[in-house]
C-alpha cells in the first residue's frame, strides 16, 4: 500500500470514528435517566421521605421528548421537589417549562437560580470548558423571564431560597433551609444566610446552583445536614471508566455528580461536615447538545434515618 493510500485510509477511519462518537453523544444527551440514592439525614424512627432533585433542564420550547419525560416524574409521587436552577435556555421557554413540570408544581418545593435562568446562552467554542476559568461570564445577552418564572414557582407554593433562610414543613417534618443565588455569577450573598442552622429542625438542608467550595464550606460549618447543587453537568464530556474532566467551578471532578461528603475526606458525624448531592442535570447548551459517559439525569433521593 502506498503512503498516500495509507494516509487516506487513516484519515477516513478518523472521520468515521469522529462521526460515530458524535452520533452517540447526541443520542446520549437525550437518554434521560432516573437515579435513586439514599440520604441518611432523618431523625430516628421517622418514615422515609422522597425528594426529587431537578437541575439544569436548559429547556427550550421545542424539546418535546424532555418535556414528556419531565411530566412523567410526577408518577414517582415525591414528597418534596428540590430545583437547583438553570431551567431555561430560550426567551420563549417558560410556558413549556411550567407545562413540563405540571403536577410537580403541586408538590412542596424549594428552588434557587442559575445563570441560565437570568441570561440566554451564547454560542461559543465548547473546548473553552476544558481550559482554566478565565473569570468571564455571559451577562450581556438577552435577559430570560426569570422574574416571571420565580413568580410562577412561588404562586404554586414552591419556596424561593435566593440568598435566604427559612423553614417549611414537609409531611409533618420541619426543614430548616438556606440557599444562595448563583455562585458562578458571584451573586451569592453568604452574609445574608450565615449563622448556625436551626438545631430544633428535623432536617437542615441548603441549596446552591454551582457547588463552589466557599459556599459548601459555609453550609458545612453552619451545620446543614445536606447541600443540593447542580451546574457541573457531571462533566458533560466525561470519559468511560474515568469520569468528569472538568466541573466549570472549583469543585474537583471526582465529585462532579452524585452523593459525596464535604469536605471530601470527612465522615458522617464529623463536626463541620455535610452531605453533598450534585445533580448532573437534564440538559446541555442548545448549541452543544451532546454528552458522553454522563447521561442526563434527575435523582430521587430517599431520606432515611441517620442511624
Amino acid at each position: 500500500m502506498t503512503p498516500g493510500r495509507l494516509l487516506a485510509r487513516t484519515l477516513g477511519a478518523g472521520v468515521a470514528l469522529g462521526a460515530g462518537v458524535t452520533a452517540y453523544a447526541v443520542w446520549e444527551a437525550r437518554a434521560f435517566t432516573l437515579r435513586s440514592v439514599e440520604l441518611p439525614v432523618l431523625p430516628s424512627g421517622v418514615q422515609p421521605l422522597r425528594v426529587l432533585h431537578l437541575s439544569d433542564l436548559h429547556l427550550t420550547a421545542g424539546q418535546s421528548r424532555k418535556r414528556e419525560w419531565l411530566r412523567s416524574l410526577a408518577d414517582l409521587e415525591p414528597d418534596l421537589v428540590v430545583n437547583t436552577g438553570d431551567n431555561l435556555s430560550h426567551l420563549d421557554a417558560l410556558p413549556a417549562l411550567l407545562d413540563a413540570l405540571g403536577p410537580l408544581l403541586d408538590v412542596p418545593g424549594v428552588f434557587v437560580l442559575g445563570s441560565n435562568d437570568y441570561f440566554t446562552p451564547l454560542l461559543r467554542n465548547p473546548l473553552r470548558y476544558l481550559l482554566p476559568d478565565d473569570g468571564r461570564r455571559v451577562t450581556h445577552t438577552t435577559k430570560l423571564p426569570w422574574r416571571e418564572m420565580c413568580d410562577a414557582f412561588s404562586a404554586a407554593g414552591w419556596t424561593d431560597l435566593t440568598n435566604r433562610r427559612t423553614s417549611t414543613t414537609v409531611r409533618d417534618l420541619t426543614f430548616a433551609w438556606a440557599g444562595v443565588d448563583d455562585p458562578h455569577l458571584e451573586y451569592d450573598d453568604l452574609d445574608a444566610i450565615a449563622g448556625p442552622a436551626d438545631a430544633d429542625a428535623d432536617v437542615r438542608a441548603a441549596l446552591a446552583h454551582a457547588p463552589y467550595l466557599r459556599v459548601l464550606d459555609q453550609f458545612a460549618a453552619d451545620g446543614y445536614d445536606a447541600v443540593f447543587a447542580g451546574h457541573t453537568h457531571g462533566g458533560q464530556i466525561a470519559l468511560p471508566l474515568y469520569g468528569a474532566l472538568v466541573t466549570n467551578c472549583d469543585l474537583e471532578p471526582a465529585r462532579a455528580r452524585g452523593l459525596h461528603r464535604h469536605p471530601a475526606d470527612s465522615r458522617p458525624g464529623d463536626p463541620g461536615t455535610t452531605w453533598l448531592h450534585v445533580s448532573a442535570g437534564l440538559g446541555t447548551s442548545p448549541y452543544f447538545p451532546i454528552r458522553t459517559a454522563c447521561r442526563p439525569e434527575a435523582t430521587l433521593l430517599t431520606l432515611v434515618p441517620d442511624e
Side-chain angles (χ1 to χ4, degrees), residues 82-113:
V82 169
N83 183 317
T84 48
D86 271 11
N87 293 278
L88 305 171
S89 269
H90 193 275
L91 187 63
D92 299 326
L94 181 56
L97 171 67
L98 299 178
D99 175 73
L101 291 174
L104 290 174
L105 289 170
D106 296 328
V107 176
V110 291
F111 67 95
V112 291
L113 303 181

Side-chain angles (χ1 to χ4, degrees), residues 44 71 88 109 123 302:
S44 178
R71 286 189 64 85
L88 305 171
L123 174 62
T302 302

